[in-house]
Amino acid sequence: MKRETFLKTVLFTVVSPSIIIAACSEKEKGAKGNASLKTFTCPMHPQIVQNKPGTCPICGMDLVPFNKNNKDKGLTLSKDQQALANITTAIIGTEGFEDNSYLNGKLVVNPEQTTFISSRVAGRIEELYVKETGVSVGKGQAIYKIYSEELLTLQEEYLMALAQSAQFNNDRRFQDIHKASKQKLILYGQSDTQIKHLADTKRTNPYITYYAPQSGKVSEISITEGQYVSEGATLLQLESYQRLWVEADVYPSEIGQIKEGQTLKVMVAGWENDPQDMTVEFITPNLASNEQILQIRGSIPNLDNRWQPGMQANIMLSKKSSSEYLSIPINAVINDGDTQHVWIALDNERFEPRKVTTGLESFEQVEIRSGLKVGDTVVVTGAYLLYSEYVLKKGKHPLQDV
C-alpha cells in the first residue's frame, strides 16, 4: 500500500511540470492569437492603426477592432443585410447624359446703336424741342434751334459764291468756289432742303434748326435753353433698343465649355417661356478686377421693345457627355478627395471596390472616363455603407490593395 502511494506521488511529480508547461504554452498561444486579432483602427481614418483601444488622433472617434490578416478584397452581404442597408444596383448602359447650368446675366444697351448728337457750330441754344429723357424721337424730328453767327457768315459766303457762279458760269474757278461753300454748309449740318431754301429765298437766317439723325429714345440731355455751346459739344444722347447686348459672368472653370460663335439660349426674367438664341460674340481675355470671373457677350433682338436695359437674364449652358464615355448616378461614386471608386456587384451577395476616373458632373449623373465597362453592375444606393463596412472589417481603404 505504501509502495503504491509512493509510485503515484513520484508519477504526479514527474508529469505535473509537463502539464503546467503545456497549459502555459496553450495560454501563450491563445494570448498571441488574440493579440493578432485585437488590432484597432478608426472607422473614418483607416490609416490610424494600433494594437490597443483608444481614440482617433484626427477626429476623436473610438477605435474599433479589426482583423488585419483578412486579405479578401470584397464584402459578402446576405439578402437581409442588403435590404437593411438599402443597397440597390443598376447595370451600366451606353447612354450618356446632358445637364444644363445657368449663368447670371443682364441686358445692356448696345453701344453700336447709340448716337451722340453734338453741336456742329458754336452758338446759343435758342429753343430745345426735347426736354425729357426717355422720350422717343423719330428720325428727322426737330431736336433744337441754335443761333450761330458763324453759320450766318457761311450762308452769306454761299450766296455770294452762288451769284458769282451764275454770273460767270463759264469760269471753272467760280464753280469750284460755289461747290466748296455748299460743302461747308453740309459739313455744318445743313440739309439739302435747307440749302435749297437759302438759294431760293436769298435770305440768310442765323436761327438754324437741327434734326435727329436716327430714331431712338433720349437717354441723356446735356443742355438747356439759352445755354451757349461750343463746336463739338455733346447735346443729347439717343439710344436704340431694337437689339440689346447680353452680358454674363462666367467662372474660369466653365469658360472651357464656351467658344466665340457658339449659340446659347437666353431667358429674360418674366419671359422664361420665350427663350432667345444668342451667339457669343466676345469673351473677355482677362479676369475682372478684384473678381475671379470672366464675361461673355452676345446680342438678342428686341423688335417690339418689350425688354429694357438692366433686366436680369439667365444664359443656359449645356454640358453634354461624350458618346464614348459612360455615366452613372453620382451617389454611386465614393470620392475621398484623392481617388474615386465604386462598388461592383460580382453576384447576388458579393461586392468589390473598383477604382474609376470621373469627368463631367451634374446634380444626378457623373461621367465615367475609365474603370467601368458596359454591363457592369454598380451599387447605386448604399455605396457609403459598403465603404464603412469594409473599413470596419479590414481597417484599410478599399483601394489600398487594388
Side-chain angles (χ1 to χ4, degrees):
M1 183 67 180
K2 291 182 178 180
R3 175 179 169 74
E4 185 179 12
T5 303
F6 174 75
L7 291 174
K8 288 182 179 180
T9 304
V10 171
L11 182 61
F12 178 79
T13 305
V14 174
V15 175
S16 292
S18 299
I19 296 173
I20 294 172
I21 291 172
C24 291
S25 177
E26 288 297 321
K27 187 175 182 180
E28 280 186 7
K29 288 181 181 178
K32 289 181 181 179
N34 291 336
S36 65
L37 294 174
K38 292 297 182 180
T39 307
F40 297 83
T41 187
C42 174
M44 297 299 296
H45 302 92
Q47 68 270 27
I48 304 300
V49 179
Q50 63 185 43
N51 294 324
K52 59 181 180 179
T55 58
C56 175
I58 298 177
C59 64
M61 290 183 63
D62 291 336
L63 301 183
V64 296
F66 74 98
N67 184 0
K68 66 179 181 180
N69 295 320
N70 189 344
K71 301 299 183 181
D72 189 3
K73 295 181 180 180
L75 289 174
T76 301
L77 275 76
S78 67
K79 289 294 184 180
D80 292 338
Q81 289 174 319
Q82 294 178 38
L84 187 63
N86 190 30
I87 292 176
T88 61
T89 61
I91 299 175
I92 298 179
T94 57
E95 65 275 2
F97 76 97
E98 185 172 355
D99 179 52
N100 296 323
S101 60
Y102 295 91
L103 307 176
N104 293 324
K106 63 179 180 180
L107 304 182
V108 297
V109 175
N110 185 349
E112 296 175 353
Q113 297 183 348
T114 299
T115 301
F116 291 91
I117 299 178
S118 56
S119 178
R120 297 292 187 90
V121 295
R124 183 181 71 248
I125 302 298
E126 197 66 25
E127 191 169 355
L128 188 61
Y129 299 112
V130 179
K131 301 179 181 179
E132 298 176 351
T133 58
V135 176
S136 296
V137 173
K139 183 177 181 180
Q141 180 178 334
I143 298 294
Y144 66 93
K145 182 194 291 186
I146 189 172
Y147 170 82
S148 174
E149 294 184 358
E150 182 179 0
L151 194 56
L152 180 62
T153 302
L154 291 177
Q155 291 176 356
E156 292 174 348
E157 289 181 359
Y158 172 75
L159 292 178
M160 184 181 298
L162 179 62
Q164 290 175 339
S165 65
Q167 184 175 359
F168 305 100
N169 54 4
N170 294 326
D171 193 327
R172 185 176 182 81
R173 291 177 301 172
F174 290 108
Q175 300 299 325
D176 292 340
I177 292 174
H178 171 245
K179 290 180 181 179
S181 61
K182 180 179 180 180
Q183 187 63 29
K184 282 184 180 181
L185 290 175
I186 294 175
L187 293 176
Y188 276 87
Q190 297 295 282
S191 64
D192 290 338
T193 302
Q194 290 173 315
I195 295 175
K196 185 177 183 303
H197 179 73
L198 174 63
D200 292 340
T201 60
K202 305 294 192 297
R203 296 176 58 183
T204 59
N205 183 6
Y207 298 97
I208 303 300
T209 301
Y210 283 88
Y211 302 89
Q214 73 171 42
S215 301
K217 289 189 176 182
V218 180
S219 61
E220 184 177 340
I221 300 176
S222 305
I223 55 171
T224 58
E225 290 183 353
Q227 179 179 341
Y228 281 85
V229 296
S230 59
E231 182 179 347
T234 301
L235 308 180
L236 297 96
Q237 181 176 330
L238 296 180
E239 293 177 346
S240 174
Y241 301 149
Q242 296 298 303
R243 195 166 190 87
L244 296 175
W245 272 4
V246 181
E247 293 181 346
D249 297 330
V250 183
Y251 289 103
S253 59
E254 299 174 318
I255 199 64
Q257 306 171 41
I258 304 174
K259 298 180 180 179
E260 290 188 13
Q262 181 178 349
T263 301
L264 301 176
K265 290 290 185 182
V266 177
M267 286 161 287
V268 182
W271 283 270
E272 287 82 2
N273 294 328
D274 187 16
Q276 302 292 312
D277 289 332
M278 179 194 79
T279 301
V280 179
E281 300 172 354
F282 180 74
I283 301 175
T284 53
N286 56 333
L287 297 176
S289 58
N290 302 323
E291 297 180 6
Q292 294 300 309
I293 57 174
L294 296 165
Q295 195 173 69
I296 64 171
R297 186 175 67 229
S299 60
I300 58 174
N302 186 29
L303 300 179
D304 54 359
N305 288 323
R306 58 178 168 174
W307 299 319
Q308 292 76 42
M311 295 183 67
Q312 296 297 311
N314 289 324
I315 294 84
M316 188 168 67
L317 183 61
S318 176
K319 295 188 294 184
K320 188 175 183 180
S321 173
S322 173
S323 59
E324 63 180 296
Y325 298 127
L326 307 174
S327 66
I328 62 175
I330 194 169
N331 292 332
V333 179
I334 307 297
N335 191 337
D336 59 6
D338 297 326
T339 59
Q340 296 85 34
H341 73 276
V342 300
W343 286 86
I344 301 295
L346 302 179
D347 54 39
N348 292 333
E349 295 185 351
R350 290 282 297 164
F351 302 91
E352 186 176 274
R354 181 82 58 83
K355 183 178 180 180
V356 295
T357 303
T358 60
L360 297 176
E361 294 184 6
S362 69
F363 288 108
E364 298 179 353
Q365 297 286 107
V366 60
E367 186 182 70
I368 301 298
R369 298 291 179 88
S370 64
L372 296 177
K373 64 182 184 298
V374 176
D376 285 339
T377 302
V378 177
V379 174
V380 177
T381 62
Y384 275 96
L385 290 176
L386 291 175
Y387 170 78
S388 301
E389 181 71 10
Y390 189 95
V391 173
L392 285 172
K393 286 186 175 181
K394 306 178 185 299
K396 58 184 178 181
H397 192 279
L399 298 182
Q400 184 172 327
D401 299 325
V402 176

